[in-house]
Amino acid sequence: MNRADMYRRLQTHSGQWDMIVVGGGATGAGVAVDAASRGYHVLLLEQSDFGKGTSSRSTKLVHGGVRYLEQGNVLLVMEALKERGLLLRNAPHLVHKLAFVVPAYRWWEAPFYGIGLKLYDLLAGRHGFGASRILSRAETLDRLPTLNTVGLRGGVLYFDGQFDDSRLLVNLVATASEQGAVLLNYARVTGMIKDSHGFVNAVKVRDVESGQEFEAAAKVVINATGPFADDLRRQADPSAQPMIAPSQGIHLVLDGSFLTGETAIMVPHSSDGRVMFAIPWHGHTLVGATDTPVPEPALEPVAQEREIDFVLRTASLYLAKKPARADVTSVFAGIRPLVRAGKSTNTAALSRGHTIRIENSRMITICGGKWTTYRRMAEDCVNQAATLGRLPERRSTTGRLDIHGSHPGADQFGQLAVYGSDAPAIRKLMEADPSLSEPLHTALPYAAAEVVWAVREEMARTVEDVLARRTRALFLNARAAIEMAPRAAALMARELGRDGGWEAAQVLAFHQTACGFLPAEATGSA
């Protein structure tokens, strides 16, 4: 799967597409997989890289949502728990079970949360990941030896899922391609074309790399641009009223010493009303998230200083080793595409369910939702699109469709486990050229071969694509990623036929982006 092949497939397609999907995040890619696997002709267009926005910036959890249960949204929890089970089955190389402990510092917390989590187990039914139970103080510390012990009484153990978000997204893009869809990153939709009735039936597109422009017609256009959905809605209909209430969430990444072992911490109530997590992830500790309303979504959101302070302060209440700014190896922000509910400004209280809207222009907008339920969202959206476009009725098959890379024994591939069934091919690259087995940095496990693979097989076009989303270097250790950039740029230039000027420009652009992944006090040392 590479961009040149996608362009050739685009150019050989004649006539209307059944569906054009705008947006290459979890929702858009999910829609492309579902539609293509039903036999519909699908074109997906992404203005930047796949997962550049929200879909690479999640809490890395595949979960039912304990907080949504507390809010009384039982149907959403049940749906998410079912989808959690399907994800584990369909992408076992990227999704795994993870133990969580809710620490109890007051006498009532363990029995109170224990009852709620038993209900969580009950709702999961046959899709359950393991039974919850109340832990003694000693059992709690056995699972969480780095937990703050002052006043600790015990805890509650339960199980949920964890995954690598942008790796799953890359695999969804590959799956959609294998099912016959054409997907292009760095292809910006610049305008809408309407028929004589005022209905959208085509889009204008500009290839960001070449500047080339073209038009593509479709029976149905689907707006899956997440936080930017209102921008596309206004392109189709300038009178469209806003439906997105953007909310920013941030996560801090610390080294693995802050949370040793394989158990995560879940704090049911932080002072901003959200659940707070501390999670082991790729040998590091991920802590978050916040919920901060923002006036407008940004493609490259940056954590606010008060958000960083809040996460550090909250984490310090539960970790024996108190994290400081100097301990933060990376900080990333993401924008949630929440659907507005009246005039409320409390984004933490807004539903995480999804919304599908058929616009006056007959464009379909899908927004809201969460990573865990991307497949169900896509199924619902394609059902609506097929009806609107008067397409042959075909049932969704994604409930049992293996996602590209699916491999039940991926752990045998060690550091390449996230590639699943692709791992042997990457090892062959290393065997053919031993220099490609060299690590890009001593602080992270990524090898040069992964850069080559990302360009040849995963449509990576920039250093950021490789170091942020094909590997997770930038999200794990921004300083190390900055130091890796020149080597990554050189490898990419060789693969893409670029010159030294392109290399230098890529390194500079990546450095500017990476500085936004470090707290202000740490930026100067990068």
Side-chain angles (χ1 to χ4, degrees):
M1 180 185 73
N2 62 58
R3 202 165 183 270
D5 288 340
M6 288 295 178
Y7 246 102
R8 281 191 288 271
R9 287 164 60 177
L10 172 71
Q11 292 166 345
T12 56
H13 180 84
S14 58
Q16 269 187 320
W17 297 89
D18 290 329
M19 301 178 198
I20 290 178
V21 182
V22 186
T27 304
V31 168
V33 170
D34 189 286
S37 63
R38 297 193 204 192
Y40 300 134
H41 298 293
V42 182
L43 171 65
L44 181 145
L45 303 164
E46 163 57 44
Q47 66 170 338
S48 184
D49 184 34
F50 304 116
K52 161 71 175 178
T54 305
S55 295
S56 62
R57 300 163 185 262
S58 74
T59 312
K60 323 305 178 192
L61 296 181
V62 178
H63 64 138
V66 174
R67 183 166 64 91
Y68 314 140
L69 184 60
E70 185 181 359
Q71 293 171 346
N73 201 335
V74 175
L75 291 179
L76 175 61
V77 174
M78 291 180 68
E79 178 181 270
L81 288 170
K82 177 183 176 182
E83 293 300 321
R84 181 189 70 173
L86 295 179
L87 258 173
L88 178 64
R89 183 178 66 199
N90 296 341
H93 62 304
L94 290 172
V95 180
H96 64 269
K97 299 177 183 180
L98 182 65
F100 289 76
V101 167
V102 180
Y105 289 91
R106 302 175 193 172
W107 68 268
W108 56 268
E109 288 179 323
F112 178 77
Y113 294 122
I115 292 170
L117 289 165
K118 281 298 180 186
L119 177 58
Y120 195 61
D121 294 345
L122 184 64
L123 293 175
R126 63 188 178 90
H127 299 289
F129 276 19
S132 63
R133 65 184 179 91
I134 293 176
L135 302 178
S136 66
R137 187 179 191 273
E139 289 174 318
T140 300
L141 290 174
D142 184 54
R143 284 188 169 270
L144 293 171
T146 58
L147 190 65
N148 180 9
T149 60
V150 178
L152 180 68
R153 292 173 175 266
V156 183
L157 172 72
Y158 76 101
F159 296 88
D160 242 322
Q162 184 177 38
F163 78 136
D164 187 311
D165 48 15
S166 69
R167 287 301 316 166
L168 179 58
L169 180 56
V170 169
N171 284 172
L172 284 174
V173 170
T175 306
S177 173
E178 290 162 357
Q179 296 296 321
V182 174
L183 308 96
L184 285 174
N185 51 357
Y186 297 100
R188 180 187 296 274
V189 172
T190 58
M192 299 286 180
I193 300 171
K194 299 180 180 179
D195 63 17
S196 58
H197 301 288
F199 299 147
V200 170
N201 65 353
V203 295
K204 298 179 180 179
V205 187
R206 181 169 62 85
D207 178 4
V208 175
E209 282 194 352
S210 67
Q212 177 184 352
E213 298 185 347
F214 62 91
E215 296 178 0
K219 296 173 184 175
V220 183
V221 175
I222 297 171
N223 175 5
T225 55
F228 304 98
D230 284 336
D231 293 344
L232 201 65
R233 292 176 65 240
R234 282 190 289 266
Q235 280 192 42
D237 178 4
S239 66
Q241 295 300 303
M243 64 182 292
I244 300 297
S247 166
Q248 177 163 295
I250 77 154
H251 297 80
L252 305 183
V253 181
L254 311 166
D255 70 49
S257 66
F258 285 88
L259 190 68
T260 58
E262 296 299 322
T263 300
I265 299 172
M266 193 275 273
V267 178
H269 287 286
S270 62
S271 60
D272 75 341
R274 279 191 59 80
V275 171
M276 181 69 72
F277 292 100
I279 301 167
W281 189 60
H282 289 320
H284 292 68
T285 302
L286 180 72
V287 185
T290 57
D291 199 319
T292 306
V294 292
E296 295 290 337
L299 188 59
E300 188 60 65
V302 176
Q304 300 174 17
E305 294 303 306
R306 62 188 179 90
E307 291 180 296
I308 296 172
D309 290 339
F310 170 78
V311 174
L312 287 172
R313 187 169 60 250
T314 303
S316 294
L317 297 174
Y318 296 91
L319 297 175
K321 183 179 176 183
K322 310 303 181 188
R325 281 176 175 255
D327 297 311
V328 177
T329 57
S330 187
V331 52
F332 60 91
I335 306 296
R336 302 180 189 89
L338 304 178
V339 180
R340 291 179 181 271
K343 297 182 179 180
S344 173
T345 59
N346 181 13
T347 52
L350 292 182
S351 171
R352 267 50 176 179
H354 64 275
T355 295
I356 297 173
R357 177 176 295 184
I358 299 175
E359 309 286 353
N360 293 334
S361 64
R362 283 174 60 95
M363 179 176 72
I364 292 180
T365 296
I366 178 167
C367 55
K370 47 191 268 190
W371 241 119
T372 306
T373 57
Y374 88 89
R375 192 209 64 82
R376 178 60 187 271
M377 293 168 62
E379 180 179 341
D380 289 350
C381 182
V382 174
N383 287 344
Q384 294 277 357
T387 300
L388 186 65
R390 297 179 179 177
L391 298 171
E393 185 176 335
R394 297 165 183 159
R395 295 184 65 181
S396 175
T397 62
T398 56
R400 290 189 172 273
L401 179 66
D402 285 346
I403 293 169
H404 179 90
S406 177
H407 194 295
D411 287 348
Q412 67 183 285
F413 302 127
Q415 298 293 352
L416 298 178
V418 294
Y419 293 93
S421 60
D422 286 334
I426 300 174
R427 283 185 174 173
K428 286 183 178 179
L429 288 177
M430 296 177 180
E431 292 166 2
D433 181 354
S435 69
L436 295 181
S437 64
E438 297 171 1
L440 296 171
H441 196 283
T442 56
L444 293 169
Y446 305 116
E450 295 177 72
V451 180
V452 174
W453 180 262
V455 175
R456 291 183 186 176
E457 302 294 339
E458 295 182 343
M459 296 178 69
R461 311 300 293 175
T462 72
V463 168
E464 183 192 333
D465 295 348
V466 172
L467 297 185
R469 289 172 293 278
R470 305 309 186 276
T471 70
R472 307 317 307 272
L474 180 58
F475 283 75
L476 294 172
N477 189 326
R479 297 177 189 85
I482 289 169
E483 294 173 10
M484 294 160 67
R487 174 70 170 141
L491 289 163
M492 294 187 73
R494 186 176 70 184
E495 289 295 315
L496 294 169
R498 309 295 193 193
D499 60 17
W502 180 89
E503 281 187 50
Q506 281 291 305
V507 171
L508 177 60
F510 181 75
H511 185 276
Q512 291 171 339
T513 298
C515 284
F517 282 67
L518 289 169
E521 293 176 5
T523 301
S525 62

